[in-house]
Amino acid sequence: MKLYNKHRKVELIIDQKLLERIGKKGIEHFPNEFGGFLIGKYSDDYKTLFISDFILPKSYKGSRYLFERSSKGMKSFFSNLFKKKKEYYVGEWHTHPNGSTGFSATDLNAMINIESSTSVSIKNPVLLILSVSAQKINQATFYIYDKKKLLPYE
Ligand SMILES: [Zn+2]
């Protein structure tokens, strides 16, 4: 699946099967929110982001309307991943059980904090929000973070 972000003129590529695997993990935690990290790599010109896998956080808080992951223990994980596979942290994902894929003020603030954090930081992290029911993924929306804004891919 190939998506395009017209604001930054960049592409995002993710395998449909991978997206389904992420959704399945989210559905297992229904009706609570759940999420984690996205990993992948950019093309040499930084125009295309390939999402290759997802990681579950080592510790997190997930309730009906909130998901907060800790980046505890992730720094060494990501540095090993880069050494082994030349892939790295590219962003975040979480579910909105029976909700929309629109982001909340809390979601935006979390991305602002992530960009300034030293443990897992890249310039324009992506955010994947998955609307899920107890059985299936309803919708999935990717956003790119840029200058305190979240801009959707189409
Ligand atoms: Zn959210």
Side-chain angles (χ1 to χ4, degrees), residues 17 19 26 33-34 38 41 52 59 67 71 74 76 80-81 92 94 96 100 105 108 112 116 124 143 146 148 150:
K17 286 207 178 84
L19 193 60
E33 293 198 6
F34 186 60
L38 295 173
K41 59 180 164 194
S52 57
S59 78
F67 177 77
S71 53
M74 297 314 291
S76 61
N80 282 334
L81 181 76
E92 306 281 325
H94 70 268
H96 284 174
S100 79
L108 177 58
I112 292 171
S116 55
N124 298 103
Y143 299 89
D146 190 25
K148 301 199 170 11
L150 282 167

Side-chain angles (χ1 to χ4, degrees), residues 33 65-67 94-97 100-108 127-130:
E33 293 198 6
Y65 296 107
L66 184 73
F67 177 77
H94 70 268
T95 58
H96 284 174
S100 79
T101 61
F103 61 87
S104 65
T106 311
D107 291 341
L108 177 58
L127 171 63
L128 163 63
I129 298 178
L130 289 150

